[in-house]
Amino acid sequence: MNPTNYLYLSALLFTIGAIGVVMRRNAIVVFMCIELMLNAANLSFVTFARINGNLDGQVVAFFTMVVAACEVVVGLAIIVTIYRSRRSASVDDASLLRR
Amino acid sequence: MGPLAVLAALGMLLVKKAVHSALLLAWVMITLAFFYIAQGALFLGIVQVVVYTGAVMMLFLFILMLVGVDASDSLTETIRGLRPIAITAAIGFGGLMVSLIGRASLGREPIGLEAANAAGNVQGLAYLLFSTYVFPFEVVSALLITAALGAMVLAHHQREVGRPTQRDLSEQRFRSGSLATAAGLPGPGVFARHNAVDVPALLPDGTAAPASISETLRARGDMIDSSQFQLDHINTEIVEEK
């Protein structure tokens, strides 16, 4: 398949993830949308690795995966801590810093 | 499979329950794994399945179980005018990206990974990882350890107040308002008629006692009406057998 199609797919998935981050209220769903954006970026890394004919893009995608895994671990721990103290996983309720 | 991935991602935005979005995201990740393998990134495809759909998504589902599956998202907008602005901005951004990709040209044909993968994809990646990228590799490993430590610190939960003992609970029962529940809540079931846990006990005046049912069953609505077991609905005439 033409590599450009993968780039289109990557752009679409990234956009959908961005909409999700802005529009959804549940912190876990927001988190999953961030994962979607990271995955979309990974797809374009892999595609560009193929276009350029070297493996550097794949190495970068691998690092992205590791960093995303770290981010998920810490983020979910934060969500659980917030849920424990506030009984809610909505991003709108955690507005303590505003006041 | 590309359209399927886009549909699943759109569904992720539109479904109400967080569990359904998690499953749709798992599907998107599996399709991405196929695309990786199709593009010569065998190692990344396998890692995508193992790490993302295996570990990360299961972590998400686990946290969803912890936080409550029924915590469905309210799709009402809390900031006024956010949704049209978000959708407009997203369409603008997506259109920009798509038109950019459509117009840009690399000026040459894609090379393909046949030469780079000549000694095997995993071997090629390992060679790069342990030569050119060895420092970022070490930094990333430090990050991973720090993240694991951070998660342990965040998830650690120390009780500030000691757990109430049986004695405390008993004193609290006697001191709080009525003595009706001092001896504990009534047990469920109607004597000799029904002993299931989903039937509320009957009080002496014949009314049902909802306090005798487990709160979970009550919340789920799995409560059987106990009025059919009341004495005045039962034929109490004694029929003599001959």
Side-chain angles (χ1 to χ4, degrees), chain A residues 16-27:
Chain A
I16 291 170
I19 303 177
V21 170
V22 178
M23 282 204 340
R24 294 301 294 257
R25 298 268 69 81
N26 189 334

Side-chain angles (χ1 to χ4, degrees), chain A residues 12-91:
Chain A
L12 280 179
L13 287 182
F14 191 90
T15 313
I16 291 170
I19 303 177
V21 170
V22 178
M23 282 204 340
R24 294 301 294 257
R25 298 268 69 81
N26 189 334
I28 299 178
V29 180
V30 169
F31 231 71
M32 290 195 284
C33 289
I34 295 176
E35 287 305 305
L36 184 63
M37 291 165 79
L38 284 167
N39 267 298
N42 267 352
L43 180 62
S44 42
F45 271 129
V46 171
T47 310
F48 278 119
R50 179 174 155 220
I51 291 174
N52 287 322
N54 57 25
L55 288 175
D56 292 297
Q58 292 192 16
V59 175
V60 176
F62 176 70
F63 284 141
T64 316
M65 277 184 188
V66 179
V67 174
C70 297
E71 174 233 333
V72 164
V73 165
V74 176
L76 285 179
I78 291 173
I79 288 176
V80 168
T81 318
I82 290 177
Y83 180 77
R84 227 186 239 152
S85 57
R86 307 184 74 91
R87 290 276 140 210
S88 152
S90 170
V91 282

Side-chain angles (χ1 to χ4, degrees), chain B residues 190 193 202-203 205-208 225-236:
Chain B
V190 179
R193 294 284 305 169
L202 290 175
L203 294 175
D205 56 350
T207 55
D225 184 23
S226 58
S227 62
Q228 49 180 319
F229 304 114
Q230 276 174 6
L231 268 185
D232 45 343
H233 289 224
I234 302 167
N235 188 5
T236 48

Side-chain angles (χ1 to χ4, degrees), chain B residues 129-153:
Chain B
L129 215 53
F130 292 112
S131 59
T132 322
Y133 293 96
V134 71
F135 185 65
F137 185 68
E138 296 294 330
V139 172
V140 155
S141 76
L143 178 71
L144 205 55
I145 292 172
T146 319
L149 208 70
M152 273 154 70
V153 169

